[in-house]
Amino acid sequence: MPPPLSRALAKVQYRILPLLIAGYFTAYLDRVNVSFAALQMNADLSIQPEAFGFIAGVFFLGYCLFEVPSNIVMSRVGARIWLARIMVTWGLLSASTAFVTDVKVLAVLRFTLGAAEAGFFPGVIYYLTNWVPAAERARVVSIFMMAVPISTVVGSPLSGWILDAWNGVLGFRGWQWLFVLEAVPAIVLGVICFFVLVDTPAKAKWLSEEERDALLARLKADREVNIPSHSHSIRGALTDRRVLVLAASCFGTGIGLYGLGFWLPQIVKSMSLTNTETGFVVAVPYLISALFMWAWGRHSDQTGERIWHIAIPNFVAAAAFALCAFVSSPVLLLVLLTIASACTLSIFPVFWTVPAAILTGPAAAAGIALINSVANSSGFFGPYLVGFAKQQGASSQYAIALLAVFMLAGAVLVLSMDFGIKKIAKKS
């Protein structure tokens, strides 16, 4: 029979992780499906490239403003109630986007949607630190964050199909049905979350006493390996130089993630494809990204190394983005964008193990939320930067190439500071 800790971790992964993955899958789908809706919606509402960049990105302004308060509330009321509230609220708001007829109202609604979703991702990261030992964390977070590329792998063909197959049903356009149909899972999952999630291992009735004690002992030992300088102070976490550097580094990486993510469907559609064909083509880079981010997170856990596992993909992604400016072949462009996507997405699962290693308690909730809040402001600047460049006459390739600067900055920043993290390699 496996030891108690192994049994406990196995139960955590099949009882908690699938629900969290499904929630994040839906969150990311509802966050970026505006990029597919744009294939019809931009013409219907007369939205220009710069305006679309603003509409896509304004979501993140609402997200950033409410993220830290949301995570602080969650640390007090518990994940079960708060994550459920977040999912139901954003589902209702996402569905209401279908009935917008004015560009300004659309921008306001996107801002509100961001405010509603704020706290979900950092809340889950904080939640997982209460359940998963440090040596397993990058792998588990990799599995959780695979929801991002998988949501695109599944969501892109689905979104393209909805645009074509549902267009005109009951008098509504395909992009309107897109928002309604893809919002329903968030509401359903929110209700399930309320009845299924458990806030801490100490409250988990599905763990035996022996399994519970083994898991709690391991988590306590992890906290004692890296004793944070601001382990219990929320204010200290928000002013810690390490936290601020991590936030700036993740901002740079996020520029690449969202600058590419919100514009990729339009780049692919320009290759004379139908909406449905565009969906299938967009899915390919993200399928490859999902496999690579799992392997990269696993390698980081096996070696116990974190910082270079963040920096190296940043450097490679920066090179891939920069090379986009010099290619004319659609196939070669897609290869470069696939490399950039895979490297960018592989950074985040490893990255989020770092703040969890230097902060604990309420400081971890606040610090993680601050980092994610600053990082996600890139979700505004990335799409807007590409849209602005395109409206000024730049080609899609040159506009995307601008993202290289920010990926490079992300690598330099994370290498600029000693985070004092001791290696905790996974034991075979």
Side-chain angles (χ1 to χ4, degrees), residues 156-241:
S156 294
L158 177 63
S159 297
W161 175 77
I162 291 173
L163 288 178
D164 289 336
W166 286 73
N167 193 38
V169 174
L170 299 180
F172 292 102
R173 292 278 279 156
W175 66 267
Q176 294 176 294
W177 280 111
L178 176 68
F179 286 122
V180 171
L181 295 175
E182 293 184 355
V184 173
I187 300 170
V188 174
L189 285 169
V191 175
I192 295 172
C193 181
F194 180 80
F195 290 103
V196 172
L197 281 189
V198 181
D199 289 331
T200 65
K203 298 179 180 179
K205 295 180 180 179
W206 38 264
L207 289 175
S208 69
E209 184 176 354
E210 187 180 30
E211 292 165 347
R212 186 182 304 113
D213 291 344
L215 180 55
L216 290 172
R218 178 61 179 275
L219 292 168
K220 181 180 178 182
D222 284 346
R223 288 191 291 269
E224 292 172 352
V225 170
N226 291 293
I227 300 176
S229 58
H230 297 299
S231 59
H232 302 294
S233 167
I234 292 177
R235 181 178 179 181
L238 298 180
T239 56
D240 190 329
R241 285 182 61 196

Side-chain angles (χ1 to χ4, degrees), residues 271-296:
M271 299 173 184
S272 301
L273 301 177
T274 67
N275 293 328
T276 302
E277 290 168 344
T278 296
F280 280 101
V281 172
V282 169
V284 174
Y286 289 95
L287 176 60
I288 295 171
S289 298
L291 298 174
F292 185 71
M293 70 187 297
W294 172 82
W296 195 245

Side-chain angles (χ1 to χ4, degrees), residues 148-161:
V148 173
I150 290 174
S151 70
T152 308
V153 170
V154 176
S156 294
L158 177 63
S159 297
W161 175 77

Side-chain angles (χ1 to χ4, degrees), residues 397-415:
Q397 289 97 314
Y398 276 98
I400 289 294
L402 294 174
L403 305 177
V405 177
F406 298 92
M407 298 297 298
L408 184 62
V412 172
L413 281 166
V414 81
L415 290 173

